[in-house]
Amino acid sequence: MKTAVTIKEVRAQVGEWRKEGLTVGLVPTMGYLHEGHASLVDRAVSMCDRVVASVFVNPTQFGPGEDLETYPRDFARDCALLEEHGCDLVFHPEVSEMYEADAATYVEILSDMPKQLCGKTRPIHFRGVCTVVSKLFNIVQPDKAFFGQKDAQQLAIIRRMVRDLSYGIEIVGCPIIREEDGLAKSSRNTYLNEEERQAALVLSKAVFLGEKMAEEGEQDAGKIVSAMKALIEAEPLARIDYVSAVDAVTMEPVARMEGSVLVAMAVYIGKTRLIDNFIR
Ligand code: AMP
């Protein structure tokens, strides 16, 4: 596996692959990788001739007071995991390589889509995500890009951006990978102490409860959300940011479990904000 720290190096390597007629997959990440990220790499390896992963903690998607400075990093470990899973090139740029000091151009969806769910408490988050993903698309020019369903709103927003800006890139959504006890894998799980790690199980328990209710035919989205909220509220260390049922494509709130519905949540466990969801 090769490592590139400059845009020029990435372009040179991908250019060589293109000349050989090879297809290229991209897996964008912020590093501190786990089996969730590895599953995206596995999928990319199975669908593309060459796979590029990016490891970049993107400052433009963090708001004031969020965890940009403390976000966990371990590039050596990330490289070992990527290599083990068959990644061909890891792009690990400095912030200054990705953003000129006077960079002033952003990619932003101007509908309500990025204002729903996580956008309510993270107003600039998806503008930062769209901007960095758009830059990565321009740098790597992949055939396909791989994103986790764990960040369901992000995945829906990237699909919309790709559609609206006519990127000829196939977006592949990949299922949520969980710990054995149900907790969705996340780099931020490392913030949890032992007691909080136990308490964090309320997220997946709520997801499984909601899923079961939907499966058993509950059509009232409000009832499902209420039951999930009640379960979470019974955990003293948990504080709900939101639990919502929305249209899985537009992110508009829905009252009924009709069509494709995303039931998503963000919950603070102590100071750590965790997300989880299911689609029905
Ligand atoms: P991050 O490094 O947290 O920005 O995540 C990079 C990519 O990995 C995103 O597309 C995430 O949705 C995906 N991802 C993170 N955690 C998981 C998980 N537990 N299961 C599947 N995909 C995940």
Side-chain angles (χ1 to χ4, degrees), residues 27-31 33-37 39-40 61 71 146-151 154 174-178 184-188:
V27 180
T29 84
M30 297 209 300
L33 305 179
H34 48 66
E35 285 89 342
H37 300 107
S39 75
L40 305 187
Q61 70 190 67
Y71 196 84
F146 299 79
F147 294 87
Q149 187 59 47
K150 157 102 189 318
D151 299 85
Q154 166 174 286
C174 303
I176 300 176
I177 304 296
R178 299 179 178 281
K185 291 198 183 248
S186 165
S187 308
R188 288 187 169 102

Side-chain angles (χ1 to χ4, degrees), residues 52-66:
V52 182
S54 57
V55 172
F56 179 61
V57 182
N58 173 40
T60 64
Q61 70 190 67
F62 288 78
E66 292 187 355

Side-chain angles (χ1 to χ4, degrees), residues 165-274:
L165 295 182
S166 308
Y167 277 103
I169 298 172
E170 182 190 340
I171 301 303
V172 181
C174 303
I176 300 176
I177 304 296
R178 299 179 178 281
E179 303 286 354
E180 251 170 47
D181 61 6
L183 179 67
K185 291 198 183 248
S186 165
S187 308
R188 288 187 169 102
N189 291 349
T190 183
Y191 296 146
L192 304 169
N193 66 29
E194 225 168 280
E195 200 188 350
E196 291 169 339
R197 172 66 183 74
Q198 272 308 305
L201 288 177
V202 286
L203 280 96
S204 52
K205 281 185 185 156
V207 162
F208 301 151
L209 170 67
E211 236 168 358
K212 184 160 171 277
M213 288 176 75
E215 211 147 282
E216 288 172 357
E218 180 57 68
Q219 284 290 304
D220 185 335
K223 273 195 191 156
I224 292 177
V225 166
S226 297
M228 291 168 70
K229 279 185 171 167
L231 190 153
I232 298 165
E233 279 160 0
E235 167 52 59
L237 293 182
R239 182 168 58 82
I240 293 174
D241 177 353
Y242 68 81
V243 181
S244 305
V246 299
D247 180 284
V249 174
T250 65
M251 304 288 115
E252 287 295 326
V254 297
R256 311 276 311 157
M257 298 299 290
E258 283 159 6
S260 188
V261 176
L262 166 69
V263 181
M265 66 176 79
V267 176
Y268 285 91
I269 302 294
K271 288 198 170 106
T272 305
R273 186 177 178 279
L274 300 175

Side-chain angles (χ1 to χ4, degrees), residues 119-144:
K120 289 196 175 143
T121 48
R122 307 188 77 192
I124 61 155
H125 176 65
F126 290 111
R127 184 184 81 163
V129 169
C130 284
T131 302
V132 80
V133 170
S134 174
K135 283 175 68 75
L136 290 168
F137 285 177
N138 289 329
I139 293 163
V140 177
Q141 300 187 15
D143 299 280
K144 303 180 200 293

